[in-house]
């Protein structure tokens, strides 16, 4: 579709699923489908590729919707403008968010890595994990988060 229409749909959407151009929450409940849909949307509206003056606001809104859907993995909720959604007329507010580091090429590389990692987790790790394995995995995730925070500080990222 027309990029302007896509940006308008994103800025006017009432739910995180709608921001990712899904008709309902069921279209974005599966992690790999949600990731693919997010990738398709941001590749149309990323400010590196789209000259529309609203592209940055639509890009940030799509990223926030993706984050919220990943965090909630539950029923659709109305957007709460006072918490994490900006109006379609506000400039992007949060500098230093994960999606604002680098170019669209960098983001696509990260999304490709996430897709592969998610597929491995869903197909190979989750079916065979036991309580001890889950505790070990949680420890690895915590260690990885600390390493990422250290690297972010080294790059002066918040």
């Amino acid at each position: 579709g027309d990029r302007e229409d896509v940006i308008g749909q994103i800025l006017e959407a009432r739910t995180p699923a709608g921001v990712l151009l899904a008709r309902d929450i069921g279209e974005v409940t599966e992690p790999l489908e949600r990731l693919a849909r997010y990738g398709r949307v941001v590749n149309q509206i990323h400010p590196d590729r789209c000259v529309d003056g609203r592209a940055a606001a639509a890009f940030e809104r799509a990223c926030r919707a993706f984050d919220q859907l990943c965090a909630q993995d539950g029923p659709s909720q109305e957007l709460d403008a006072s918490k994490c959604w900006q109006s379609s007329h506000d400039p992007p507010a949060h500098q230093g968010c994960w999606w604002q580091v680098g170019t669209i090429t960098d983001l696509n590389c990260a999304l490709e890595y996430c897709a592969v990692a998610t597929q491995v987790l869903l197909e190979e790790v989750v079916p065979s994990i036991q309580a001890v394995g889950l505790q070990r995995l949680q420890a690895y995730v915590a260690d990885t988060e600390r390493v990422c925070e250290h690297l972010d500080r080294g790059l002066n990222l918040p």
Side-chain angles (χ1 to χ4, degrees):
D2 183 354
R3 285 188 178 153
E4 185 172 330
D5 291 337
V6 168
I7 289 173
Q9 289 174 33
I10 290 167
L11 295 176
E12 298 302 321
R14 302 281 301 152
T15 65
V19 171
L20 294 186
L21 307 178
R23 288 181 298 265
D24 61 55
I25 191 74
E27 293 183 12
V28 290
T29 55
E30 294 296 323
L32 288 172
E33 173 53 33
R34 180 175 44 231
L35 188 62
R37 181 177 289 276
Y38 169 73
R40 287 189 302 270
V41 168
V42 298
N43 271 286
Q44 292 180 61
I45 62 169
H46 192 281
D48 285 357
R49 293 202 172 140
C50 183
V51 296
D52 188 303
R54 302 169 300 155
F59 175 70
E60 181 170 343
R61 190 169 173 134
C63 294
R64 291 183 182 286
F66 177 73
D67 281 350
Q68 184 172 347
L69 288 165
C70 290
Q72 82 183 22
D73 279 329
S76 179
Q77 299 174 355
E78 287 295 307
L79 301 184
D80 185 347
S82 67
K83 291 186 179 175
C84 66
W85 298 94
Q86 64 184 23
S87 92
S88 61
H89 306 293
D90 291 341
H94 289 77
Q95 298 301 315
C97 294
W98 68 268
W99 60 80
Q100 293 178 330
V101 179
T103 65
I104 186 64
T105 303
D106 297 329
L107 181 59
N108 281 328
C109 187
L111 293 176
E112 184 177 326
Y113 172 79
C114 286
V116 170
T118 300
Q119 187 166 2
V120 168
L121 282 170
L122 292 173
E123 292 176 0
E124 297 177 23
V125 177
V126 172
S128 64
I129 203 159
Q130 297 172 357
V132 173
L134 181 58
Q135 290 170 344
R136 192 174 298 145
L137 179 60
Q138 288 170 329
Y140 289 143
V141 168
D143 289 345
T144 302
E145 288 173 343
R146 285 193 291 276
V147 168
C148 289
E149 289 169 4
H150 175 73
L151 293 172
D152 287 350
R153 281 192 299 276
L155 294 172
N156 293 320
L157 299 173

